Amino acid sequence: MIRIATTLIGLFLLLQAGAQNQLFQPRNFQKAYTSGTRSLDGKPGPSYWQNHAAYDIDAALDPKTLMLTGKEKIKYTNNSPDTLRIVRFKLIHDVYKKGAARDGEVAPGDVSDKGVSIAYLQYDGKAIPPEKRRASNTYMTVRLGESPIAPGASVEFEVAWSYKLPADDKASRECVCDPSTFFVPYWYPQIAVYDDYHGWADAPFTGTQEFYHEFADYDVTINMPKGYMVWATGEWQNASDLLQEPVLQKWQAAHQTATVSSIWKEADLKAGQVFKKLKSHQFHYKASNVPDFCFAASDHYNWDAASVVVDDNTGRQTFVSAAYDSGSRDFYQVADIASRGIRLMSTWLPGYPFPYPCHTVFNGNDGMEFPMMVNDASVSEKSVASLTLHETAHTYFPFMMGINEQEYAWMDEGWASFFDFLLADSLTNSKDGSIRGYANVAGTDYEVPPMVRARFLSGSAYGIASYSRPQAAYLTLLDLLGYDKFHTCMSTYMDRWKGKHPMPYDFFYTFNDVSGQNLNWFWKPWFFDWGFPDLGINGVVRDEAANADIVLIDRNGNIPIPVYLSITYTDGSTSIEQRTAEVWRNGAEQLRIAGATGKSISSAVLGSRTIPDTDRKNNSWKK
Ligand SMILES: [Zn+2]
């Protein structure tokens, strides 16, 4: 045992020594480069492929029993060069199955013996018997026996299923928000991702790591009792079947104006002034090229909406909605925050047209994103902007960019945290946020480098590696490249990988390629290495030849951060000196910053709210 380990460590050091300016790449990723599915300049390779599914779903939710029942037809296309002998469905709701692994507690009453119940499963018209399918770890793996899926082939599956929604109001991500309000994700058997570097996805859903789904088209019908509205991923196809004419006109008008208006209020529903007289309500939604579909329903929620131009070149608009309880203290402003936020996202950060035709922020019990849908709890006045913006910004990552959040959550949570920080500042004209949270814990054994696969992490290690450390890295990167170059890199990354599955190296290599700089000196400490950021003022010395005082700044930590130095002179005047993290590119351990010529420095302070610095006791100097 010991000898093997020593040999491996020796080999590892040898490989590292020969490749100091290269990023370590796991051996199992290298086949993506040898087979040409990815390339070293960060573009999808000439042989890049991904599989595709088209779902036709008909489902019903019974508000009294909380039972969801559905039937679906899935057309699945194997674009890979491999013959698929199994197919793997996600049964995410099996996290509530008795015996399932879970990261947190769930209410005992919500645990079921069977999990998702499969009434039947057909493959190209033939029933697949239960012994050929195995449900474990929130997947159902089906052996295709004599009829594997050949490269290039399209096949059809038909599934009928049912399960009971978790009733506990603390259930996360989904909710029975009140007896007649539901947020329903994770609700249908969905074919898992089969990709070029891991094959079939197999990270279980245990409640922490969220998305890795295949891009798909959806044609969905949801059946509800009369009185209910359904908001869902995609565009609502049959509003005119359900809405009374004046309400239909309000809904249509809200598609034309950036000013938020009320489609209806709870009182309108109670007065019978919204829906036509029908025995039951059937909602038809369609969405194309999205990685998931969810819906929400209520018989008493208010509905505000507006439309915002997301692409000035084409005039394309996104229809933005907020659906909420009358008692919510913050949701009356959410449609406005979301639409102004989407405009800022489209034009500033990330500065890429919002990809979807609609987006609904639903007043649920969490802070949780889905394509075109968000489940947000009511929160304080102080938090409503950043929560709305965070979950809405997830539209870019992990939905438009189909990153693997179950393995590399920093590829989306880090961005959403970075976006919400700057967008909320801009929208609310405040400068409240800081990234002290990461600085306080950086370099302790509560955190690990982000390149550790997210599926191996939980608790604070997951949170820091996925949210706060990458958020700080992206803020440092923006400062390093400047907005214009950063934006060019970012939008090229999005152009290249929109609707695809970028992995970490596709991001690193695209920024290297487009910025024209080898940024590996930056990626390595921030994403691959253990360590922490810490700058300190060593002292101030006089440079008689330059007739100036020089502040000596020590780099005490290995993670490169910008320098923001506030200087006060003996005559009472002040100056600010800023340097990007570039000053540490070549491994320098000390930086000399000169004060104003002819002046003498009386005090100096390092740091700002966007620069993480673990030890702030060494950040100030007084004469
Ligand atoms: Zn998030």
Side-chain angles (χ1 to χ4, degrees):
M1 283 290 273
I2 289 166
R3 220 169 53 176
I4 292 168
T6 315
T7 313
L8 282 175
I9 289 166
L11 183 69
F12 178 77
L13 291 173
L14 207 70
L15 286 169
Q16 286 296 293
Q20 272 181 355
N21 212 14
Q22 282 176 16
L23 301 175
F24 172 75
Q25 196 173 74
R27 288 190 297 114
N28 51 321
F29 283 18
Q30 288 160 16
K31 70 173 181 228
Y33 296 89
T34 51
S35 67
T37 53
R38 295 169 198 260
S39 48
L40 293 169
D41 59 7
K43 288 180 193 147
S47 322
Y48 181 82
W49 54 264
Q50 70 192 26
N51 293 350
H52 185 265
Y55 293 83
D56 197 332
I57 306 180
D58 193 328
L61 173 63
D62 182 340
K64 290 203 177 71
T65 63
L66 301 182
M67 286 305 294
L68 184 136
T69 49
K71 284 181 200 167
E72 64 181 356
K73 274 189 188 158
I74 312 168
K75 188 181 170 199
Y76 183 63
T77 305
N78 177 17
N79 295 315
S80 84
D82 309 325
T83 298
L84 303 179
R85 296 182 191 285
I86 61 163
V87 73
R88 188 168 284 159
F89 291 82
K90 295 186 145 198
L91 297 181
I92 302 179
H93 216 275
D94 270 358
V95 72
Y96 284 99
K97 191 163 123 179
K98 208 173 198 173
R102 284 183 287 268
D103 296 327
E105 293 182 359
V106 298
D110 287 338
V111 175
S112 76
D113 285 339
K114 283 199 298 191
V116 178
S117 170
I118 303 290
Y120 66 79
L121 168 65
Q122 286 188 0
Y123 170 44
D124 276 346
K126 288 188 206 115
I128 294 213
E131 64 270 18
K132 290 214 166 158
R133 52 187 209 236
R134 196 171 79 91
S136 73
N137 290 323
T138 62
Y139 289 94
M140 172 174 68
T141 303
V142 178
R143 284 183 284 128
L144 300 177
E146 300 300 300
S147 316
I149 311 173
S154 286
V155 297
E156 192 171 271
F157 294 93
E158 270 189 70
V159 193
W161 77 98
S162 61
Y163 71 90
K164 191 175 176 206
L165 268 61
D168 183 44
D169 61 4
K170 287 181 284 300
S172 62
R173 317 204 189 281
E174 55 194 305
C175 72
V176 176
C177 317
D178 66 45
S180 57
T181 302
F182 312 93
F183 192 91
V184 191
Y186 306 148
W187 60 287
Y188 61 98
Q190 178 182 20
I191 297 189
V193 178
Y194 181 80
D195 69 23
D196 60 316
Y197 63 108
H198 280 141
W200 283 110
D202 62 357
F205 179 71
T206 52
T208 302
Q209 295 82 3
E210 294 159 0
F211 293 97
Y212 190 39
H213 296 330
E214 199 51 89
F215 286 91
D217 300 327
Y218 290 86
D219 188 321
V220 177
T221 301
I222 304 288
N223 297 281
M224 295 294 300
K226 67 178 175 187
Y228 276 88
M229 174 62 198
V230 165
W231 294 265
T233 301
E235 291 176 286
W236 189 16
Q237 303 292 311
N238 65 334
S240 59
D241 292 349
L242 283 119
L243 300 181
Q244 294 181 24
E245 191 57 31
V247 183
L248 183 65
Q249 282 172 17
K250 280 190 194 176
W251 179 75
Q252 284 161 340
H255 281 77
Q256 307 299 330
T257 169
T259 308
V260 174
S261 62
S262 165
I263 310 294
W264 65 65
K265 294 193 187 309
E266 183 177 4
D268 303 326
L269 288 160
K270 294 264 157 22
Q273 288 167 352
V274 171
F275 293 112
K276 293 179 175 175
K277 299 256 173 296
L278 297 159
K279 286 205 177 79
S280 64
H281 284 185
Q282 186 173 72
F283 296 86
H284 183 202
Y285 276 87
K286 279 187 184 181
S288 56
N289 208 29
V290 283
D292 199 4
F293 189 104
C294 84
F295 70 92
S298 177
D299 67 355
H300 61 279
Y301 266 26
N302 303 277
W303 186 2
D304 297 345
S307 279
V308 55
V309 173
V310 295
D311 187 341
D312 288 330
N313 291 325
T314 63
R316 185 168 64 80
Q317 293 183 311
T318 294
F319 181 63
V320 186
S321 297
Y324 57 100
D325 189 80
S326 297
S328 170
R329 57 194 182 277
D330 62 332
F331 255 76
Y332 63 91
Q333 48 180 329
V334 162
D336 182 57
I337 293 169
S339 38
R340 287 192 295 134
I342 284 172
R343 175 72 193 162
L344 271 182
M345 290 172 209
S346 301
T347 55
W348 177 50
L349 271 180
Y352 199 94
F354 197 76
Y356 296 143
C358 42
H359 182 76
T360 300
V361 186
F362 191 83
N363 187 194
N365 66 340
D366 206 329
M368 186 61 206
E369 70 282 6
F370 296 89
M372 306 187 216
M373 292 286 289
V374 166
N375 166 4
D376 274 355
S378 285
V379 293
S380 68
E381 185 71 26
K382 206 168 152 272
S383 308
V384 60
S386 58
L387 178 64
T388 306
L389 294 166
H390 179 102
E391 306 310 337
T392 299
H394 269 304
T395 301
Y396 294 95
F397 306 89
F399 301 135
M400 182 182 104
M401 308 283 282
I403 64 111
N404 187 344
E405 184 182 7
Q406 291 195 293
E407 307 287 14
Y408 298 102
W410 57 267
M411 293 182 78
D412 82 313
E413 294 297 359
W415 284 123
S417 306
F418 166 84
F419 294 143
D420 87 49
F421 184 92
L422 294 170
L423 292 166
D425 271 7
S426 172
L427 218 58
T428 61
N429 272 324
S430 75
K431 296 276 176 275
D432 286 345
S434 90
I435 53 175
R436 296 258 160 85
Y438 165 60
N440 291 340
V441 79
T444 68
D445 69 353
Y446 291 92
E447 69 134 357
V448 301
M451 279 301 288
V452 177
R453 292 169 77 174
R455 71 186 304 181
F456 301 149
L457 304 178
S458 64
S460 68
Y462 175 80
I464 297 154
S466 309
Y467 292 75
S468 50
R469 181 159 159 180
Q471 176 199 41
Y474 299 145
L475 284 163
T476 307
L477 183 66
L478 171 62
D479 183 70
L480 175 70
L481 297 177
Y483 176 82
D484 288 344
K485 191 172 273 190
F486 175 86
H487 178 252
T488 305
C489 293
M490 192 74 180
S491 43
T492 307
Y493 173 47
M494 291 175 148
D495 281 339
R496 288 176 173 185
W497 290 95
K498 179 181 185 172
K500 298 190 172 72
H501 297 304
M503 66 177 187
Y505 298 88
D506 302 315
F507 160 63
F508 298 137
Y509 295 165
T510 290
F511 269 65
N512 285 359
D513 180 42
V514 179
S515 69
Q517 304 174 32
N518 185 338
L519 294 166
N520 292 353
W521 67 271
F522 176 85
W523 307 129
K524 189 172 174 299
W526 269 107
F527 292 93
F528 291 74
D529 291 348
W530 302 85
F532 57 90
D534 179 32
L535 300 181
I537 300 181
N538 177 297
V540 174
V541 293
R542 186 72 188 167
D543 182 338
E544 292 299 349
N547 188 25
D549 280 355
I550 309 288
V551 185
L552 303 177
I553 294 167
D554 287 346
R555 179 173 63 83
N556 302 317
N558 59 323
I559 293 184
I561 49 174
V563 177
Y564 187 95
L565 182 67
S566 312
I567 300 175
T568 304
Y569 300 95
T570 48
D571 65 3
S573 63
T574 60
S575 69
I576 304 276
E577 292 292 331
Q578 292 186 66
R579 306 285 186 273
T580 72
E582 176 78 29
V583 295
W584 313 114
R585 172 195 273 267
N586 294 320
E589 288 183 355
Q590 195 175 71
L591 178 72
R592 296 164 65 88
I593 292 185
T597 312
K599 294 194 181 186
S600 171
I601 295 176
S602 66
S603 66
V605 180
L606 258 183
S608 85
R609 70 192 183 97
T610 58
I611 301 175
D613 191 320
T614 51
D615 182 2
R616 289 190 288 139
K617 289 195 296 291
N618 58 19
N619 281 15
S620 46
W621 177 89
K622 259 198 168 72
K623 196 166 197 168

